[in-house]
Amino acid sequence: MSWFDYIRKYVWSEEKTPYLVPVGMLSRTQARNELFSFSVLMAAFFFVIGLLALLGFGSLAGAPAVAGYSFVLCSSAIALGATRHRAAAVICATAPPVFLAYLIVYGFPPALHMPDKLLIGAVTLLLGLYGFRVVAIAKAYPGLRPD
């Protein structure tokens, strides 16, 4: 086996990491795996953000609203992982646009330079696009082929 086969074996698996498989061709197991990993990452990230906002970390503007919204996203991510319901996916998909709105209203932290701002914008845009895939998977989940 070459090094590429090892990487492919441990990093890319059609069953465990089906991120490049079109939604219509996913099986329920693939969709469940993708939604589960998305849900775990979203729930953990927004739980920490909500906790930091509640504790008054830094100079976070609008901390009570940020904490409340973060816990709503955390709850929705847990619900998405457990039920694969479309409403939970839609709520989770609102995170990138709301984050961009937050940055428009309150601005970037003053210590960030332009490359940092561009990186944050690019990652937020990619997560926003991925949100459409998550909603599409949750919508199509009942009709996906069983394993």
Side-chain angles (χ1 to χ4, degrees):
M1 288 182 101
S2 69
W3 65 272
F4 180 75
D5 293 331
Y6 284 116
I7 290 174
R8 183 175 168 94
K9 179 180 174 185
Y10 292 109
V11 175
W12 178 258
S13 164
E14 290 285 328
E15 197 64 34
K16 298 286 185 186
T17 54
Y19 302 109
L20 298 178
V21 177
V23 174
M25 298 182 71
L26 290 172
S27 69
R28 283 192 183 177
T29 301
Q30 289 173 317
R32 192 176 22 238
N33 288 337
E34 186 167 348
L35 290 178
F36 177 77
S37 61
F38 175 79
S39 299
V40 167
L41 292 174
M42 284 280 290
F45 180 75
F46 283 106
F47 179 77
V48 170
I49 295 296
L51 198 60
L52 292 175
L54 274 180
L55 297 175
F57 179 75
S59 59
L60 192 60
V66 170
Y69 182 65
S70 294
F71 289 128
V72 165
L73 284 174
C74 180
S75 302
S76 296
I78 292 168
L80 177 63
T83 65
R84 290 164 290 284
H85 196 272
R86 185 177 8 176
V90 169
I91 293 171
C92 288
T94 64
V98 169
F99 178 67
L100 284 178
Y102 178 86
L103 289 178
I104 289 169
V105 171
Y106 294 108
F108 284 95
L112 290 180
H113 298 289
M114 186 55 72
D116 299 327
K117 293 176 184 178
L118 291 174
L119 180 64
I120 289 172
V123 168
T124 304
L125 179 66
L126 290 173
L127 287 175
L129 293 173
Y130 186 67
F132 287 111
R133 177 174 170 87
V134 169
V135 171
I137 291 171
K139 180 180 177 182
Y141 185 80
L144 294 176
R145 62 181 162 83
D147 288 322

